[in-house]
Amino acid sequence: MATRGGPQRKGGRPGPAKSPAKSAAKPKSPAKPRAKAVPEPATVAAPPAGPFRLGAVPGATPGKWIDTWKTRMPRTPLELVPLLVAEQRGAFVRGEVDAAIVRLPIDRDGLHVIPLYEETTVVVCAADSHLTAADELTVEDLAGEVRIVPRDDVLGIDVPGTEPPRFAAPATTGEAIETVAAGVGIVVVPMSLARLHHRKDVTFRPLAGAPASAVALAWPADGTTELVDAFVGIVRGRTANSSR
């Protein structure tokens, strides 16, 4: 009769039990870290090459907006294009400007127009004129004065009681003010033009009750480009990060 245990030895005694074989398990190698996906660099759109052509009538003061443009759009040049008021509409028709600071009124057909500000109307007279006795003048104060109206006049207003000169109208406001400096007549202009043509031998006084001269930003309705929109945003006070 066989007994439990190992194989039987001679003589009937069981031998030592064999231990089960141990499996030779190989140690696991550490997992390799996954390579991180490197994001592709964001594509930054290059600013339009420009230049952005900004028209400006005499007396307009776009300096602060131009400074902001240079800071915000350093790679896009801004070209300032001087305009006569009589030619401001034609500049759009001929495609000479992308936008312009204009004087109202202007034919708005085909244009976007944003009013900016209004200018006080003033009387330019000789520095030693009796008109300088008042801080502000009225139409009655100008009765009998020779009023010089240059051919580039931007107001187009009537001043009752004034007299026309006996010489041909000067071509420009600057020439008219030179004549006033010689002691002949007065010129009625927006304040910015009086300052533009300032001389030591002339001065100016506000004209009470006179229509103001309105200044606006205009651009073609079918020409609202990225550059135009950027400048409109600057004029409207939008920050660099604000949306339309």
Side-chain angles (χ1 to χ4, degrees), residues 47-208:
F52 174 65
R53 301 166 302 165
L54 176 66
V57 295
T61 54
K64 63 178 181 180
W65 299 320
I66 293 175
D67 289 343
T68 301
W69 176 280
K70 290 178 179 178
T71 300
R72 197 173 296 180
M73 309 281 286
R75 298 182 181 178
T76 305
L78 185 150
E79 180 181 322
L80 191 61
V81 182
L83 297 177
L84 296 178
V85 173
E87 298 177 357
Q88 61 185 9
R89 173 71 191 185
F92 292 114
V93 174
R94 295 186 296 271
E96 296 172 351
V97 295
D98 300 304
I101 299 173
V102 301
R103 284 197 184 274
L104 301 181
I106 188 174
D107 180 2
R108 300 191 180 206
D109 185 33
L111 294 179
H112 288 309
V113 179
I114 302 175
L116 299 177
Y117 55 88
E118 291 187 339
E119 289 190 67
T120 300
T121 297
V122 301
V123 178
V124 179
C125 60
D128 57 357
S129 170
H130 67 280
L131 295 174
T132 60
D135 293 331
E136 183 179 70
L137 299 173
T138 65
V139 172
E140 290 74 19
D141 294 328
L142 304 181
E145 296 289 335
V146 174
R147 181 191 172 196
I148 303 172
V149 182
R151 293 201 296 273
D152 66 352
D153 175 57
V154 301
L155 291 175
I157 63 174
D158 184 34
V159 183
T162 57
E163 302 290 337
R166 296 182 180 180
F167 48 84
T172 67
T173 299
E175 292 176 8
I177 291 178
E178 287 180 6
T179 304
V180 170
V184 179
I186 59 171
V187 180
V188 180
V189 293
M191 185 180 290
S192 68
L193 292 185
R195 288 174 172 168
L196 178 65
H197 300 290
H198 174 70
R199 302 166 51 106
K200 292 182 179 180
D201 44 9
V202 299
T203 189
F204 62 85
R205 294 291 186 272
L207 181 57

